[in-house]
Amino acid sequence: NPNAAAASRRPPPTVSSIDDRASHISRARSYASTAATSSMLIYPLFITDNDDDMNLVPSLPGQHQLGIGRLVSFLEPLVHKGLRSVILFGVPMKPGTKDALASAADDPEGPVIRAIRLIRRRFPQLYICADVCLCEYTSHGHCGILRDDGSLNNELSVDRISDVAVAYAKAGVHCVAPSDMNDGRIRSIKLKLIEEGIAHKTTLMSYSAKFSGCLYGPFRDAAGSAPSFGDRKCYQLPPGGRGLARRAIIRDMSEGADIIMVKPAGQYLDIISDAKDLGKDLPVAAYQVSGEYAMIHAGAKAGVFGLKEMAFESAEAILRAGATIIVTYFTPEFLDWLDN
Ligand code: PBG
Ligand code: ZN
């Protein structure tokens, strides 16, 4: 039973771990079903393989691609303000790094594994997640290994993805988060974690209900992971696919997922609610993706609404739907706003 190892794992950030500083906010906002607190937030970080990088991503306002050398000084003030958790994405920039097998994904000297080690050492209180996918590392930019005809080879993809997840876990990440949507990857990762004797200390957060669409554009600029041909529609869910999402959630739970994620968040509140319903005691995470963040910024810039007001409104809707963990690029702002 893949779930058996879950018992002694360090708990992920959840609403139940509201800290003192945030609790007066939850009282002030007690009219809401669930109030936002800093302990629910996971902040995405894009880590490059050029140590000195600090590149603003134009389509993702205020967000950077960061080199390892910039990481500590970048994180220090955020941790000081109450940052609890990050999710890491590797961005290989050096020419010749990408190949058909995504070899660089688990390079021990690659940006993700180096960042895991550094953050563990310098910020032991941070809860570290790592996105697990191949699209940042494959020459074609797809989330798996392809056959000669360009279709996904599921068996090879799952085998490779689970190896990468185990490498991150061995490097000390608290939570692995496979975002590829290949069939059977949750089971494969869980079994390899058990085999390696680290399943009890590694949380498996599955991007279970991940919908295809046009809200991931800024992310692909930040991560350099746009597919060079075709799209991700054959492995991500169609926007109308509520039943497919429910089936994917049930399947991932049966394969050993510890946290269910829904992505994007704001346009899929019914799916978040379904996940809460189906997930019973599993935490539900929602990823407010790059396009949602960019849209809110664009709307605020155009004078349609205030940035802070809409950021809160969107987060409150996501919480109301049933998520207790939000992955969001607004995390630094929320740490400021929740402080006041
Ligand atoms: C990688 C991955 C993506 C996102 C998270 N992990 C991109 C994609 O699937 O195309 C999207 C996050 C965002 O848009 O902020 N598979
Ligand atoms: Zn991917």
Side-chain angles (χ1 to χ4, degrees):
N1 171 8
N3 289 311
S8 62
R9 188 173 303 125
R10 180 173 163 190
T14 73
V15 62
S16 64
S17 56
I18 293 171
D19 62 16
D20 287 345
R21 214 168 36 80
S23 65
H24 75 276
I25 297 142
S26 54
R27 254 178 278 125
R29 297 177 161 268
S30 58
Y31 55 83
S33 48
T34 310
T37 69
S38 56
S39 59
M40 308 170 164
L41 305 173
I42 301 180
Y43 187 35
L45 296 177
F46 299 99
I47 314 291
T48 74
D49 54 2
N50 297 315
D51 286 8
D52 298 330
D53 270 352
M54 181 132 180
N55 315 322
L56 267 173
V57 182
S59 57
L60 205 49
Q63 306 301 314
H64 297 85
Q65 297 168 322
L66 293 169
I68 297 281
R70 302 284 190 161
L71 203 48
V72 171
S73 58
F74 181 83
L75 284 174
E76 230 149 32
L78 296 176
V79 170
H80 198 71
K81 285 185 211 169
L83 178 68
R84 293 289 193 84
S85 181
V86 293
I87 182 164
L88 306 177
F89 295 90
V91 188
M93 313 265 250
K94 287 191 182 130
T97 312
K98 303 189 183 202
D99 62 21
L101 299 176
S103 307
D106 50 359
D107 176 354
E109 292 308 314
V112 171
I113 290 185
R114 283 181 65 203
I116 292 168
R117 296 215 170 96
L118 180 64
I119 299 172
R120 284 289 310 244
R121 196 167 69 240
R122 295 298 299 268
F123 304 102
Q125 67 276 50
L126 269 188
Y127 187 87
I128 313 167
C129 310
D131 184 270
V132 179
C133 202
L134 304 186
C135 54
E136 295 95 340
Y137 306 96
T138 48
S139 32
H140 44 68
H142 281 285
C143 303
I145 294 171
L146 303 183
R147 297 197 195 87
D148 288 342
D149 66 1
S151 62
L152 267 178
N153 183 324
N154 182 258
E155 203 182 324
L156 287 183
S157 300
V158 164
D159 201 44
R160 180 80 188 105
I161 282 158
S162 44
D163 281 349
V164 172
V166 166
Y168 295 167
K170 281 182 161 173
V173 88
H174 300 105
C175 170
V176 288
S179 64
D180 57 288
M181 292 292 279
N182 283 286
D183 291 336
R185 83 249 200 246
I186 300 302
R187 176 183 307 281
S188 174
I189 293 171
K190 193 65 150 199
L191 289 174
K192 283 190 189 174
L193 290 173
I194 292 170
E195 216 171 280
E196 294 289 337
I198 47 178
H200 64 289
K201 53 178 181 179
T202 312
T203 300
L204 179 43
M205 174 161 72
S206 176
Y207 286 75
S208 296
K210 174 171 175 180
F211 289 85
S212 64
C214 47
L215 285 171
Y216 307 141
F219 172 94
R220 292 176 191 168
D221 294 340
S225 65
S228 58
F229 66 92
D231 54 44
R232 302 206 205 290
K233 287 187 184 139
C234 53
Y235 44 97
Q236 299 182 356
L237 302 171
R242 186 171 185 176
L244 285 172
R246 292 176 64 94
R247 284 165 58 192
I249 289 166
I250 292 167
R251 182 193 60 184
D252 283 2
M253 290 194 315
S254 76
E255 292 187 11
D258 302 303
I259 302 177
I260 297 295
M261 197 202 286
V262 176
K263 163 187 164 200
Q267 283 168 212
Y268 295 90
L269 297 177
D270 55 330
I271 311 297
I272 295 174
S273 168
D274 283 356
K276 183 190 166 163
D277 179 48
L278 296 167
K280 306 274 188 297
D281 297 327
L282 287 196
V284 174
Y287 198 140
Q288 182 175 53
V289 299
S290 57
E292 298 180 83
Y293 172 83
M295 275 202 294
I296 293 173
H297 266 275
K301 201 172 167 194
V304 180
F305 41 65
L307 185 72
K308 177 177 174 179
E309 286 73 15
M310 185 49 87
F312 266 104
E313 197 169 316
S314 66
E316 280 165 6
I318 291 164
L319 297 175
R320 186 195 66 234
T324 55
I325 299 169
I326 308 180
V327 184
T328 176
Y329 302 96
F330 281 116
T331 297
E333 279 79 14
F334 276 128
L335 296 177
D336 285 333
W337 293 332
L338 286 167
D339 231 341
N340 299 325

